[in-house]
Amino acid sequence: MEKSRRIQRCARFIVDRAAARVGVSRLWARRIALFEPYRRSLLSHVGKDGTDDVRPCQAASHFLLETMGNLPDGAERDAEQHLLLSDDRRDVEKVGKGRWQRFVRVLLALCQEEQRRLSKPVVHCVEATLGGHKAIANLLARDASPNVCDISRVTSSLDHCMELQPPRGCEPLSVSMAGAGRYTFTTKAASSEAVRALSFLESAVTRANDSWEDGVETAVKSGTTTSANDASEVDTNATNDGLGRTSTSILQPSLNVGLIGDVANGKSTLIRSMTGKRTQAHSSEQREHGKTIRLGFANCAIVHCQDHVNCDVYSFLPEDEDLPRRPPPPCCRCGGAMEFSRRISFIDCPGHAELMSTMLGGASAFDAVLFAAAANLRCPTPQAKQHLDALSFSGILPRKGNVAIVQTKAELLFKPDETTKLSAAERLERHATEARKALRCTVAAGAPFFPTCAPLKLGLEPLARWLAHIPTQDKTVAEVGSNGLNVLRSFDVNHPGKSYDEVVGGVIGGTISGAGTFKTGDLLEIRPGLVVSTASTRKKKKENEEPFVVRSLECRCKGIMSGKMDLQQATSGGLIAIRTTLCPSLCAANRLVGSVVGPRGTLPPVWGPCLFLDRMSFVSIISLDHTERLDPSKSLKEGAKVRCHSGSASVLGHVVRVSRSRGKLEVHLHAPLCAHQGANAAIEAAVGEKTGAFHLVAHARVFGGTCCLEGSKIAQEEHHPVPKYTGEE
C-alpha cells in the first residue's frame, strides 16, 4: 500500500511539474496524463465478472514511466498519439496548439528523466553474522572439534553461496567484511527490483549459514581435527638480511623493557623520543587527549659507533628507520659507520591507581624496567611505590640490576631556584640522593639514574648504553609448562569493505616465556580459549552445577612479525605478533588477552571456579587521596570481591576462605585462569568504604584448585593429587 501511494505521488509530481513549466492548469494536465490512461486501462482490463482489477495509480504510473519514459529522444509526435488516442481535439483547442506541443515536449523529458533514474542500478545490501564467537562457543559446548573456529570454514561457506545465480535484473553477488564476524552481502539492481534483490540476498545469507553449520556438524560427527602434517613446508633456516643479521638473532627484539611510574611523569613521551612511535593508539586514549589507558607497545634498535676508541656512541634507531637490508645511518658525532647492538621492545604501562590491573598484566613480560620519576617531584610518589612493590613481591624480574631510574622533565630544573641557589646539576643530584634513600628497600635499590629531556632527546645516549649491556635471560632454563606465549593483546586486522576471499585470521601478540620456539606452520593450542556459561536461569540451580565450561582452541601459525619485521621463527625475547587461522571475531577487542598459547600438550592447566593460593604476603597500601595508610589484611575477608592476576590474565572472583596466619586463600573465580602450579599471583581487593576501588593488597602462589583442563604438569603428576586445602576461617 505504501509503495502504491509513493508511485501515485511520483506520477502526480511529474504531471504538475510539466503543467507549471508550460503555464497550463494542473487539473487539465492531470485529466490528460492521468485520468485518460486510467480510463483506457479500465475499459481494456475488465474481468469476466465485471469487477475492476486495475488500480488508477498503477495505470497512470505505468503509462508515464513505461510508455512515455521509454520513448526515444525527439519522439514528440509519438507522445502526442499516446496522449490523444481518439480523434477528439477539444483538449488541444482549450490551451492552444503551441502550449500543447510544449506540454508534450516537457512531459516527455520529465518521464524519460524519471525512467533513467529508476532504471539506474543501486546497491542493495544485507549485513549478517557468519560464525562469530557466540556461535562458535555454542558449538564447542557440544563437544565440537577445537578447529571449528578456523577462518577457512567461513571462507568455504561463502564460496558455496557465491555459486547462486542472480535473478533477472540483479547483478552477481559480492561479499565483503563488515566487522569482526560480520559480512555484508551486496548486489546491484534497479529501484523497481528492490524486493527481488533483497530476497536474493536473504537466500544467499541462509545458504552461507547452512553451509557453515553443515560443515561444522560434519566435523563434530567425524571428530576431525587439524593435523600437523597439513602444514605447508616452511624453511626453518634463519634468513640473512645482507648485513649479517639473522631473523632468529637480531631481527627479533631480545629484551622487553617496561616503563612504570606515576601519572604524567613522562613515560609515553620518553618512549616516543626513543622509538618515534606514539603508544596511545586506541580510540579511547585519543578521546582522553593522550591519557594512557591500555598497554602501549613500541620497538626500536640500539646502534653504536664502530669507532670504539675515539667515539663509541650509542643511540636509539626508531622503528620506522630500522628497515631490513638497509644499514643504520652514520654516527651523529663523528660521521662514521654504525652497527646494530640489539633490538628492544617497550611496554608502556598506565600510571593511574584504578588501572593497576593493566600494569600487572603487562609486568609479566618485563625483562627490565625503566622507572620514570619526574625531576621536579618527590621520588617515589605513593602510586609509583605501588608499582615497585608489585615488582618486588611478584619476582617478575629475572635478576637484580635490571631496573634504572629515568629522571624525566630535567629541563624544568634549569629555572633558577631563588631559595636554595643550587644549579640544575646540583638539584638533579639532590633529587637522586633523596630517591636512593627512599628506594633502599625496593626492587630499585642501587639502580642507576639517568636525567633526560625527552622532548629534545637529550640524555638518551647513557640510557641506550645501559640498555645495550643488559644481559639477556637464560633461555635454556625453563620451568615445566612455561614454554608458551602470554597473550598481551589480540585484534582483527581486516578493515570493513575488504573482500571475503582476502580476509585473514585474527592476530595475537605477546612474549614467549621459557625455551620454546614458534615457527610458521606450527599447530598451536590456546588456553583457556572460549568460556561457555552454563549457569542455570532458574532460581533454584542444579546441585554441583559448574558456572562455566572451558574449551581450548586450535589454530595454525600463518606468520610471525615483530614490529615491521617478518620472521620465520621466534624465541624467548621481545614482543611478537602471530597471525593465526582463527576466526577474526575470536581475536577482536582483546578477547584472548590473558590466554596462553603453545604447542599442544605443553601448556599449563586451567583452574576454576575454585582456586587455592598459598605463601600469601601482604603489601602496604595508601588510599587514593594519599591521606591514610590502609590495612590490606582487612580487605581479604569472606565474600570480598578480589581480582587475581597471573601472567597476563586478570580474573574477578570473591573470597571463600582465608587463613592469614598460614598465608592461604581460597577464591571462587568468575572465569577460568590458565597458570602452572606454583606460578606467582597478585591479588587486588576493594579497599575503603568511601571509594571501594581495587588496590594491590597481596602476592601469593598458585597452590591448586578445580582443574578445568589438565596441563603438562598435571599430566605428569596425575598420581600425585593436590593436597586438600585446610585453611582457618
Side-chain angles (χ1 to χ4, degrees):
M1 181 63 69
E2 181 62 29
K3 182 179 179 182
S4 300
R5 292 176 180 174
R6 189 166 58 250
I7 295 175
Q8 186 178 6
R9 287 195 299 267
C10 178
R12 288 201 304 265
F13 175 76
I14 293 175
V15 176
D16 293 347
R17 190 175 178 186
R21 287 188 180 183
V22 177
V24 297
S25 171
R26 288 190 305 169
L27 296 178
W28 176 86
R30 289 185 182 184
R31 187 169 65 83
I32 293 293
L34 297 179
F35 178 73
E36 286 297 331
Y38 162 68
R39 186 178 63 83
R40 292 193 296 265
S41 178
L42 182 63
L43 294 177
S44 60
H45 291 83
V46 176
K48 294 182 180 180
D49 55 353
T51 59
D52 182 9
D53 62 346
V54 179
R55 295 181 181 179
C57 62
Q58 294 178 348
S61 62
H62 183 272
F63 171 75
L64 292 176
L65 300 179
E66 298 295 334
T67 305
M68 298 283 290
N70 290 324
L71 290 176
D73 294 336
E76 288 84 357
R77 191 173 297 275
D78 295 336
E80 288 185 20
Q81 295 178 358
H82 285 296
L83 288 172
L84 297 175
L85 292 179
S86 64
D87 296 333
D88 189 1
R89 311 291 294 182
R90 286 179 297 179
D91 292 327
V92 178
E93 295 174 356
K94 285 183 179 180
V95 296
K97 187 175 181 181
R99 284 191 176 185
W100 166 255
Q101 291 177 349
R102 289 199 304 272
F103 174 75
V104 172
R105 186 167 55 251
V106 172
L107 181 63
L108 177 61
L110 292 176
C111 291
Q112 290 174 340
E113 180 183 353
E114 183 65 18
Q115 177 62 20
R116 284 193 295 268
R117 187 186 69 84
L118 293 177
S119 61
K120 182 181 178 180
V122 296
V123 177
H124 302 272
C125 59
V126 171
E127 186 174 316
T129 301
L130 186 62
H133 68 283
K134 292 184 178 179
I136 294 174
N138 293 332
L139 289 172
L140 290 176
R142 293 156 46 192
D143 296 329
S145 172
N147 67 339
V148 298
C149 55
D150 201 290
I151 185 61
S152 61
R153 295 188 180 275
V154 177
T155 306
S156 61
S157 63
L158 291 174
D159 287 335
H160 190 60
C161 79
M162 292 295 290
E163 299 174 358
L164 284 174
Q165 294 297 326
R168 181 179 59 84
C170 297
E171 295 186 4
L173 178 69
S174 64
V175 183
S176 61
M177 194 78 176
R182 302 192 310 276
Y183 296 87
T184 302
F185 295 74
T186 308
T187 187
K188 285 186 177 181
S191 300
S192 57
E193 302 291 341
V195 176
R196 185 176 298 174
L198 293 177
S199 177
F200 169 57
L201 294 177
E202 291 174 358
S203 63
V205 172
T206 303
R207 184 167 183 174
N209 280 286
D210 292 343
S211 177
W212 182 75
E213 292 178 0
D214 291 343
V216 170
E217 289 292 341
T218 304
V220 172
K221 294 177 181 178
S222 60
T224 57
T225 57
T226 306
S227 173
N229 298 327
D230 296 337
S232 58
E233 294 184 2
V234 179
D235 184 12
T236 58
N237 297 325
T239 58
N240 193 292
D241 66 349
L243 299 174
R245 306 178 296 179
T246 58
S247 61
T248 55
S249 58
I250 300 295
L251 292 182
Q252 179 188 352
S254 58
L255 200 68
N256 287 325
V257 180
L259 266 82
I260 63 174
D262 208 342
V263 182
N265 272 219
K267 301 184 294 297
S268 301
T269 306
L270 179 62
I271 288 185
R272 190 173 186 179
S273 66
M274 294 185 293
T275 66
K277 179 181 178 181
R278 182 179 179 180
T279 55
Q280 295 96 339
H282 197 265
S283 58
S284 60
E285 296 172 323
Q286 296 175 4
R287 288 194 298 266
E288 294 292 336
H289 305 285
K291 173 183 175 181
T292 302
I293 299 176
R294 304 193 179 192
L295 293 176
F297 307 94
N299 290 352
C300 75
I302 297 180
V303 294
H304 68 278
C305 183
Q306 294 183 1
D307 187 358
H308 302 289
V309 178
N310 300 320
C311 186
D312 199 28
V313 169
Y314 284 78
S315 62
F316 294 100
L317 184 64
E319 184 178 357
D320 292 339
E321 301 178 16
D322 183 15
L323 302 176
R325 302 185 181 277
R326 182 177 296 183
C331 179
C332 59
R333 180 179 297 178
C334 67
M338 304 283 283
E339 60 182 358
F340 286 89
S341 176
R342 78 188 322 170
R343 283 186 172 82
I344 293 179
S345 296
F346 290 99
I347 304 175
D348 185 15
C349 299
H352 297 77
E354 58 269 20
L355 298 176
M356 187 70 176
S357 60
T358 306
M359 177 266 171
L360 292 173
S364 61
F366 291 173
D367 296 321
V369 171
L370 295 181
F371 177 63
N376 61 334
L377 298 177
R378 181 173 59 89
C379 178
T381 61
Q383 180 56 32
K385 183 68 164 51
Q386 283 271 306
H387 286 196
L388 294 175
D389 289 342
L391 298 178
S392 301
F393 286 92
S394 61
I396 293 172
L397 294 179
R399 55 174 59 86
K400 279 191 174 183
N402 283 14
V403 180
I405 300 174
V406 183
Q407 293 174 290
T408 58
K409 304 183 180 181
E411 69 277 7
L412 299 180
L413 299 185
F414 281 82
K415 184 179 180 180
D417 188 358
E418 301 296 337
T419 305
T420 60
K421 304 296 183 181
L422 297 176
S423 63
E426 292 173 339
R427 294 168 67 186
L428 282 172
E429 183 60 33
R430 185 182 64 177
H431 179 267
T433 302
E434 294 175 354
R436 288 190 185 97
K437 294 180 181 179
L439 298 174
R440 284 179 298 181
C441 299
T442 66
V443 72
F449 284 75
F450 298 99
T452 61
C453 175
L456 301 179
K457 298 184 178 181
L458 299 178
L460 299 182
E461 196 273 337
L463 183 59
R465 184 185 297 271
W466 180 78
L467 289 172
H469 291 89
I470 292 180
T472 57
Q473 187 176 1
D474 188 6
K475 303 175 185 177
T476 60
V477 180
E479 186 178 358
V480 177
S482 64
N483 298 334
L485 180 137
N486 293 318
V487 180
L488 297 175
R489 55 177 175 165
S490 67
F491 49 93
D492 175 19
V493 296
N494 301 292
H495 299 289
K498 193 174 185 180
S499 179
Y500 83 95
D501 53 355
E502 299 177 357
V503 173
V504 297
V507 179
I508 53 178
T511 181
I512 301 174
S513 60
T517 300
F518 285 41
K519 299 179 182 179
T520 303
D522 283 353
L523 177 63
L524 303 177
E525 182 184 5
I526 303 176
R527 289 190 173 191
L530 282 181
V531 182
V532 183
S533 177
T534 59
S536 177
T537 57
R538 298 186 301 270
K539 295 182 179 180
K540 199 171 185 180
K541 296 184 179 180
K542 295 181 180 180
E543 188 177 356
N544 300 326
E545 183 182 22
E546 298 294 342
F548 50 77
V549 175
V550 178
R551 291 291 182 268
S552 62
L553 302 176
E554 288 185 1
C555 63
R556 286 280 179 191
C557 174
K558 300 292 290 184
I560 305 174
M561 291 192 69
S562 179
K564 297 183 178 180
M565 300 287 184
D566 288 314
L567 307 177
Q568 290 293 332
Q569 61 182 19
T571 58
S572 175
L575 299 172
I576 62 171
I578 298 179
R579 184 165 59 88
T580 68
T581 58
L582 289 174
C583 180
S585 62
L586 299 177
C587 299
N590 286 330
R591 283 197 177 98
L592 294 181
V593 169
S595 302
V596 182
V597 183
R600 189 190 303 170
T602 64
L603 298 182
V606 178
W607 309 98
C610 182
L611 178 68
F612 298 145
L613 302 171
D614 65 350
R615 298 187 182 181
M616 184 172 57
S617 57
F618 294 97
V619 299
S620 60
I621 56 177
I622 300 177
S623 61
L624 288 176
D625 53 3
H626 310 313
T627 57
E628 58 178 336
R629 186 174 295 274
L630 305 175
D631 185 6
S633 61
K634 294 182 179 180
S635 60
L636 292 180
K637 54 186 178 181
E638 185 177 346
K641 294 182 180 180
V642 294
R643 193 156 49 193
C644 298
H645 304 271
S646 182
S648 59
S650 177
V651 181
L652 289 172
H654 62 269
V655 177
V656 178
R657 289 185 296 177
V658 60
S659 174
R660 299 178 180 85
S661 59
R662 298 186 180 183
K664 294 186 177 183
L665 180 68
E666 181 181 350
V667 180
H668 185 277
L669 300 178
H670 300 168
L673 176 67
C674 183
H676 60 82
Q677 193 173 8
N680 294 321
I683 305 170
E684 284 188 296
V687 178
E689 298 180 356
K690 297 181 180 179
T691 61
F694 280 93
H695 287 259
L696 179 66
V697 296
H699 289 271
R701 189 191 68 170
V702 177
F703 178 66
T706 305
C707 185
C708 301
L709 294 177
E710 294 186 352
S712 57
K713 291 190 68 174
I714 297 295
Q716 295 177 6
E717 301 174 355
E718 58 184 356
H719 299 294
H720 304 279
V722 178
K724 186 176 180 181
Y725 177 74
T726 56
E728 297 178 358
E729 294 292 332

